[in-house]
Amino acid sequence: MEQYMIKGGNPLVGEVEIGGAKNAALAILAAAIMTDETVLVDNLPDVNDVNVMLEAISEIGAMVQRVDRHTVKINGSTISDFNIEYDYIKKIRASYYLLGALLGKYKHAEVALPGGCNIGSRPIDQHLKGFRALGADVDIEYGKIVAESEHLRGTHLYFDVVSVGATINVMMAAAMADGVTIMENVAKEPHVVDVANFLNSMGANIRGAGTDIIRIRGVQSLHRTEYSIIPDQIEAGTFMFAAAATKGDVTVMNVIPKHLDATLSKLIDIGCEVEEFDDAVRVVAKGRLRSTQVKTLPYPGYPTDMQPQIGVALALARGTSTITESIFENRFKYLAELARMGARVKAEGNSATIEGVDILSGARVSAPDLRAGAALCIAGLAADGITIVDDIVYIQRGYERFEEKLRSLGGVIEKVTNEKEAQKFRLKVS
Ligand code: UD1
């Protein structure tokens, strides 16, 4: 039993260092096996999902050497197995990036088929459509995706939906296909660009990442590189909304402000002051927040991964707000938890109405998924009294030292593992 115990009421104030982007890291680690030379990856976030990906890579025979908490060396020359077991895909869906990486390099990959997850059904038809367009035979047998081909050949491909995962997965395979691949209607997220930059630093020839069309000229082999992962825009945004909800003053350090545009624009809409520096952003919330309308969209739109965090801030804003979730169908579960803290919320289909209240009150709540879990912690930090967050294993999948970083900003939050520690926390804060 691991829980966060939170005593709300302190505005969060200070500076917080943002780590490397988890979602970029997961794809880059998979791509790192595509050369037989040694790759060094830096600014790696030390979070559970990344550690599971490293285990998956090591399980198929790659050499994985942790240089320090945020740096790893990978050598894919010793890979002897092209099969990723269900255990990994069950823990992190992103282990499906090994499909594109193994198929590109060895023209053969077997990865257990991912199921749905807490935020929705999450089909992967676009990934498979891309591999097939490159000439691979793709079959689903005994719960596994088996993709293989004598030769992958360049193709012209139009994705039916804008998908981060499909864009990256097919881009990896196409990087080592014969000839030119043109992919249209691709995702433009910063981590798509980061993975393209990483592959290019290994000798791939990928142009246009960050626009709607990516053009890839396949190469025969890739080579060694040293690469530093971009900062995590979602971790940064989470701390910025923690500042907003607690009427605080937080500067997120080591970020790329451009990646945060949609989030910053919403923070300004709801009444925060925002100051941008070269690699930092300060968010100050003074009075009561204002209501707004928000719709999640692919980048550069407002990110679905920042939806629960703004939801919590809006639960405390003056007036009625609406949120439309257009990416995943099941991302409002946290609202029922928030209602237990006194929020006035109503979710119907893919939209939610939130009537702001003056104050939330502490309660025992469960993290339904990673981002929603972080959002409920923000709610606890803003609420009156003690909040207990269960199922924090979700939060640990994607936030490094989350409670420590919040504590360094003045938040009263501790991880407890048993009733005795919980009791100690209660005594300390009472
Ligand atoms: C990635 C992120 C996740 C983020 C999401 C959207 C990682 C590891 N995860 O997830 O945190 O919330 O982008 O920014 O990077 N779809 C299909 N068919 C497909 C693929 C996707 O219909 O083959 C649909 C999905 O159901 C969803 C939409 O496309 O409605 C976008 O999903 P996608 O961008 O693929 O998300 P992920 O890559 O899974």
Side-chain angles (χ1 to χ4, degrees):
M1 176 203 87
E2 276 195 339
Q3 298 171 316
Y4 281 140
M5 305 263 321
I6 301 168
K7 169 81 163 63
N10 284 4
L12 296 193
V13 177
E15 292 178 353
V16 61
E17 199 68 35
I18 300 305
K22 170 190 75 93
N23 288 347
L26 292 172
I28 284 173
L29 293 176
I33 61 125
M34 295 179 71
T35 168
D36 281 345
E37 299 182 0
T38 299
V39 168
L40 182 133
V41 181
D42 193 11
N43 203 31
L44 197 67
D46 186 13
V47 296
N48 287 358
D49 276 11
V50 161
N51 295 328
V52 174
M53 179 59 98
L54 288 172
E55 266 175 50
I57 291 170
S58 141
E59 180 77 18
I60 55 171
M63 187 278 292
V64 174
Q65 185 197 340
R66 203 68 185 238
V67 178
D68 61 36
R69 200 164 168 178
H70 299 124
T71 315
V72 69
K73 277 187 188 171
I74 293 173
N75 185 301
S77 65
T78 45
I79 289 176
S80 50
D81 184 358
F82 308 137
N83 184 10
I84 306 298
E85 298 292 345
Y86 183 59
D87 276 354
Y88 291 106
I89 209 90
K90 206 168 61 178
K91 286 187 194 150
I92 48 160
R93 290 176 54 82
S95 36
Y96 61 36
Y97 283 136
L98 287 161
L99 257 179
L102 289 168
L103 182 64
K105 187 179 181 195
Y106 298 105
K107 317 295 178 238
H108 183 165
E110 299 186 15
V111 175
L113 189 67
C117 77
N118 290 4
I119 60 174
S121 60
R122 302 182 86 171
I124 58 157
D125 55 303
Q126 297 302 305
H127 305 232
L128 306 189
K129 169 179 165 170
F131 298 142
R132 288 189 176 117
L134 288 169
D137 289 325
V138 182
D139 289 313
I140 293 175
E141 313 170 340
Y142 308 108
K144 261 199 306 197
I145 305 157
V146 180
E148 54 194 333
S149 165
E150 292 265 303
H151 296 288
L152 294 177
R153 50 169 197 277
T155 186
H156 192 142
L157 171 71
Y158 190 96
F159 287 110
D160 304 319
V161 291
V162 177
S163 158
V164 173
T167 302
I168 293 177
N169 226 344
V170 180
M171 179 168 80
M172 291 196 287
M176 294 190 78
D178 295 336
V180 174
T181 297
I182 294 172
M183 308 197 303
E184 295 201 51
N185 198 27
V186 294
K188 295 179 281 199
E189 267 69 1
H191 48 292
V192 173
V193 180
D194 208 33
V195 180
N197 288 341
F198 172 71
L199 286 164
N200 284 342
S201 78
M202 291 203 293
N205 185 341
I206 301 171
R207 301 284 170 262
T211 74
D212 293 309
I213 305 179
I214 295 181
R215 188 172 186 281
I216 303 162
R217 183 175 290 279
V219 295
Q220 291 288 310
S221 64
L222 297 169
H223 56 68
R224 74 182 64 223
T225 187
E226 294 188 0
Y227 195 82
S228 188
I229 293 170
I230 52 165
D232 197 314
Q233 50 151 340
I234 307 300
E235 185 193 15
T238 302
F239 282 102
M240 296 195 296
F241 274 108
T246 63
K247 298 198 177 78
D249 177 348
V250 170
T251 303
V252 289
M253 312 290 290
N254 180 35
V255 296
I256 299 174
K258 177 84 198 126
H259 294 170
L260 297 164
D261 277 353
T263 304
L264 292 176
S265 152
K266 276 297 155 199
L267 283 159
I268 293 168
D269 270 8
I270 63 174
C272 296
E273 285 169 27
V274 167
E275 210 179 336
E276 283 185 36
F277 305 94
D278 285 349
D279 62 355
V281 177
R282 179 176 178 202
V283 175
V284 186
K286 285 189 179 136
R288 179 106 189 255
L289 299 172
R290 295 193 293 260
S291 58
T292 192
Q293 269 72 51
V294 54
K295 181 175 184 182
T296 62
L297 288 168
Y299 188 85
Y302 188 86
T304 174
D305 285 355
M306 289 299 304
Q307 188 261 102
Q309 299 88 322
I310 196 170
V312 167
L314 295 178
L316 288 160
R318 177 174 290 120
T320 303
S321 302
T322 56
I323 301 182
T324 308
E325 171 55 63
S326 67
I327 312 288
F328 293 115
E329 70 266 29
N330 206 2
R331 249 191 149 164
F332 284 137
K333 280 193 201 154
Y334 72 99
L335 289 177
E337 301 296 300
L338 210 51
R340 306 185 57 247
M341 300 177 72
R344 292 210 196 111
V345 294
K346 201 168 123 201
E348 246 179 58
N350 74 338
S351 74
T353 309
I354 302 180
E355 202 186 310
V357 293
D358 286 340
I359 187 86
L360 295 171
S361 50
R364 184 163 176 178
V365 292
S366 292
D369 61 67
L370 165 61
R371 305 302 172 186
L376 289 171
C377 292
I378 298 176
L381 290 163
D384 186 30
I386 292 181
T387 293
I388 301 171
V389 182
D390 285 321
D391 296 334
I392 63 169
V393 61
Y394 286 116
I395 302 170
Q396 292 159 351
R397 290 179 60 166
Y399 289 90
E400 181 175 336
R401 298 184 296 111
F402 190 50
E403 68 278 13
E404 276 176 50
K405 290 188 183 185
L406 289 168
R407 272 202 299 271
S408 76
L409 297 171
V412 181
I413 171 166
E414 261 172 45
K415 185 163 64 189
V416 299
T417 52
N418 55 49
E419 188 47 42
K420 202 167 152 201
E421 286 174 9
Q423 201 52 38
K424 211 164 124 196
F425 178 88
R426 282 194 192 89
L427 283 173
K428 199 162 87 183
V429 300
S430 63

